[in-house]
Amino acid sequence: MSGNKDDGGWKKFVWDSDKGEFMGRTGGSWFKITLFYVVFFGCLAGVFVGTIQVMLLTLNDFKPTWQDRVAPPGLSHTPKLDKAEVSYSIKGIETYLPFTKTLREFVSQYDDSKQLDASKFENCPAEPADYKERGTLDDNAGVRKACRFSRTLLGPCSGLEDETFGFKDGKPCVIVKLNRIVNFRPRPPSSNDSIPEEAWPKVQPNLIPLFCTNKREEDADKIGEIKYYGINGGFPLQYYPYYGKRLHPHYLQPLVAVQFTNLTQNMELRIECKVFGDNIDYNEKDRYQGRFDLKIQINSV
């Protein structure tokens, strides 16, 4: 009997037909409560939407609003694998096939056949020159043309004559680029104070020089000759600034191909590549800011 009484109690609490109450309140009370919460949450939604709209009014479709905390450009390389390690056997094509495949896919973006459209691309100086100004990010000039960069500039590292990019001969190539930053103008070094003496010959006007060397002192006599291909072995200023994906959709970054022609085989070697410029810094916590480390091991069997 107590169970029936309890059942009757909660049923009556949910709906009391004698008083016309639902869960202890009349229909009019529930209407007021519902109306209050509808208005309350409607006001919250309105404030949120209004805040978003005001924020969007401060943004520019073409120019980043805040760039004061943007770090100097990163220096990246292809092929780029986990832990930046390139290890393979000269006699095992399957061991270096992933590297050459990645390189081939990357340089295909620079095929001459993809740069024929004169409305999208233009010829720029073949030697390092000053910045190529194409207006400001705020004007109405529309989509900007991009400087052509032919993969033939990469010489034996272009993949045109040697599809293995030197890997089968124990002379692997690595293709290096500076990462894109909208409206960034890299400045060449104004002095040799922060540049290793052996890199001084690479410093020249209108060029951001790239230099690679041994990371560890014990590897100094094991690296051998390093060759650089591209436009004077660095990043020429005429390819800057970059105007962003919307204004510069066909932009091609200048490349530098680095070929290690005489690495000591059957041992792991550590190599560091760096670019030098007055507004290019390095960060110990970011191994790709202005530089990168690379581990290479070429096995003879």
Side-chain angles (χ1 to χ4, degrees), residues 46 68 76 80 180 214 254 277:
D68 56 322
S76 57
K80 181 181 179 182
R180 303 176 182 184
N214 53 290

Side-chain angles (χ1 to χ4, degrees), residues 91-268:
K91 295 184 179 180
I93 185 173
E94 71 282 355
T95 63
Y96 59 79
L97 188 61
F99 303 120
T100 57
K101 180 182 178 182
T102 300
L103 283 164
R104 195 175 303 112
E105 291 173 351
F106 178 73
V107 297
S108 67
Q109 306 170 70
Y110 291 80
D111 287 344
D112 290 343
S113 61
K114 296 180 179 179
Q115 304 177 49
L116 298 177
D117 192 338
S119 67
K120 299 176 181 178
F121 299 95
E122 62 181 327
N123 291 328
C124 292
E127 294 294 321
D130 204 357
Y131 305 112
K132 183 71 173 180
E133 301 290 351
R134 296 181 172 86
T136 68
L137 294 174
D138 299 315
D139 64 25
N140 297 317
V143 173
R144 317 301 161 87
K145 290 184 179 181
C147 285
R148 291 185 173 93
F149 189 97
S150 173
R151 61 187 286 188
T152 59
L153 292 169
L154 303 179
C157 296
S158 66
L160 294 173
E161 297 181 3
D162 178 9
E163 292 187 350
T164 71
F165 297 87
F167 276 75
K168 68 178 177 62
D169 298 320
K171 301 178 180 181
C173 294
V174 173
I175 297 179
V176 185
K177 65 178 181 178
L178 272 175
N179 294 341
R180 303 176 182 184
I181 296 180
V182 176
N183 210 32
F184 178 73
R185 291 166 173 77
R187 296 196 302 270
S190 55
S191 71
N192 292 334
D193 294 344
S194 60
I195 303 176
E197 185 175 353
E198 57 269 29
W200 288 357
K202 298 184 67 63
V203 177
Q204 57 183 288
N206 300 319
L207 187 78
I208 303 299
L210 171 71
F211 182 71
C212 300
T213 188
N214 53 290
K215 177 70 173 179
R216 302 178 301 195
E217 187 174 347
E218 59 266 31
D219 292 339
D221 59 345
K222 302 179 180 67
I223 301 300
E225 183 183 14
I226 300 176
K227 293 185 177 181
Y228 303 83
Y229 300 95
I231 298 179
N232 291 30
F235 303 100
L237 300 189
Q238 65 261 34
Y239 286 85
Y240 302 93
Y242 166 57
Y243 286 82
K245 288 185 177 180
R246 296 188 65 175
L247 292 179
H248 228 164
H250 311 294
Y251 176 75
L252 294 173
Q253 292 152 277
L255 305 176
V256 177
V258 180
Q259 185 173 31
F260 305 100
T261 63
N262 192 24
L263 295 174
T264 299
Q265 297 182 2
N266 302 310
M267 63 170 53
E268 181 185 275

Side-chain angles (χ1 to χ4, degrees), residues 256-297:
V256 177
V258 180
Q259 185 173 31
F260 305 100
T261 63
N262 192 24
L263 295 174
T264 299
Q265 297 182 2
N266 302 310
M267 63 170 53
E268 181 185 275
L269 303 174
R270 295 283 300 275
I271 297 170
E272 180 182 60
C273 295
K274 299 178 71 173
V275 285
F276 301 95
D278 282 354
N279 56 348
I280 296 178
D281 301 316
Y282 315 103
N283 190 327
E284 291 296 332
K285 296 181 180 179
D286 185 352
R287 63 180 182 177
Y288 287 103
Q289 184 174 312
R291 65 181 177 187
F292 64 80
D293 293 349
L294 187 65
K295 297 178 184 178
I296 298 183
Q297 179 167 340

